[in-house]
Amino acid sequence: KQEVTQIPAALSVPEGENLVLNCSFTDSAIYNLQWFRQDPGKGLTSLLLIQSSQREQTSGRLNASLDKSSGRSTLYIAASQPGDSATYLCAATMIYNQGGKLIFGQGTELSVKP
Amino acid sequence: SQTIHQWPATLVQPVGSPLSLECTVEGTSNPNLYWYRQAAGRGLQLLFYSVGIGQISSEVPQNLSASRPQDRQFILSSKKLLLSDSGFYLCASGHYEQFFGPGTRLTVL
């Protein structure tokens, strides 16, 4: 059974700092891995999707990597801004799961201080 | 791109009352549809998913049910709500990349 873990649960950084959010998984039979952002009381916004054949994806100041052999994905945020404050969730879709079901980590709550 | 609508946005219901949450999707056809629940301080739990009209798969035993009467409509229901049904309910659409609606905050008193 796949387990997705995100550490730390919370992170506070000063504005302008580059930071890395971690996501680990126990089963490497991943079809893809998706990173989301969730603002308080809101739905999830998809940030990046990495297919199993890819090693990384970039969108603006965000870069996500995937290393199936080590069971890790990272989300790199460059030059952090107060507007980046939110909870970041990673989720995996497994090769063997019907219906493309996502298995979520518990999230990292990021606070960027001005 | 897809747009997922959910209503109501907020709902307060007494224990034992019925429930109906609706989700509709624009901008795609024949999507997989999903209902997730997010309890306070916890991650997202998949409740139901559907790969087509009338096709529903349940992930966890509970007193909730789901229906898909149309291709882009997904409904979450209960005949009698429990206190433990309180939470934030999210509808999602997609195949292997999922897009989420704004959610419904349900409080059962």
Side-chain angles (χ1 to χ4, degrees):
Chain A
K1 179 183 175 183
Q2 175 70 285
E3 292 184 6
V4 179
T5 304
Q6 293 184 250
I7 296 174
L11 181 65
S12 182
V13 301
E15 182 177 4
E17 191 165 297
N18 301 327
L19 60 100
V20 174
L21 305 180
N22 296 298
C23 173
S24 61
F25 44 90
T26 55
D27 187 342
S28 63
I30 284 184
Y31 187 85
N32 64 35
L33 192 132
Q34 200 166 351
W35 281 93
F36 295 90
R37 168 186 173 137
Q38 186 177 29
D39 292 289
K42 304 295 184 182
L44 276 65
T45 300
S46 180
L47 297 174
L48 289 164
L49 172 75
I50 311 177
Q51 306 273 12
S52 63
S53 58
Q54 299 172 323
R55 292 194 59 88
E56 66 179 72
Q57 282 284 352
T58 298
S59 175
R61 293 183 293 111
L62 305 179
N63 175 277
S65 68
L66 176 63
D67 184 343
K68 293 194 296 181
S69 62
S70 66
R72 290 187 61 193
S73 176
T74 61
L75 179 66
Y76 174 82
I77 302 177
S80 59
Q81 303 170 359
D84 294 329
S85 297
T87 297
Y88 290 81
L89 295 142
C90 68
T93 305
M94 308 308 295
I95 293 171
Y96 47 76
N97 275 354
Q98 290 184 332
K101 296 176 288 184
L102 286 171
I103 301 169
F104 279 88
Q106 296 286 75
T108 294
E109 185 176 355
L110 173 65
S111 175
V112 181
K113 304 296 186 184
Chain B
S1 64
Q2 300 183 40
T3 302
I4 297 98
H5 302 280
Q6 287 187 246
W7 65 88
T10 306
L11 191 60
V12 180
Q13 292 284 95
V15 168
S17 64
L19 174 73
S20 180
L21 303 181
E22 189 162 345
C23 169
T24 58
V25 181
E26 295 178 357
T28 188
S29 59
N30 194 31
N32 289 351
L33 296 175
Y34 309 84
W35 278 113
Y36 293 87
R37 178 171 58 206
Q38 187 175 36
R42 301 180 63 181
L44 279 81
Q45 180 186 40
L46 179 63
L47 302 176
F48 301 95
Y49 72 93
S50 171
V51 299
I53 295 173
Q55 301 178 61
I56 308 296
S57 296
S58 174
E59 288 295 293
V60 293
Q62 57 202 315
N63 71 322
L64 299 171
S65 62
S67 62
R68 185 172 178 174
Q70 300 181 45
D71 180 46
R72 290 173 289 174
Q73 183 185 28
F74 205 23
I75 297 171
L76 184 68
S77 303
S78 174
K79 292 182 179 178
K80 290 185 178 182
L81 283 168
L82 306 173
L83 286 174
S84 58
D85 291 324
S86 293
F88 191 49
Y89 288 82
L90 289 157
C91 177
S93 169
H95 291 90
Y96 291 101
E97 181 173 11
Q98 291 187 23
F99 300 91
F100 283 75
T104 294
R105 174 77 57 192
L106 172 65
T107 303
V108 183
L109 301 174

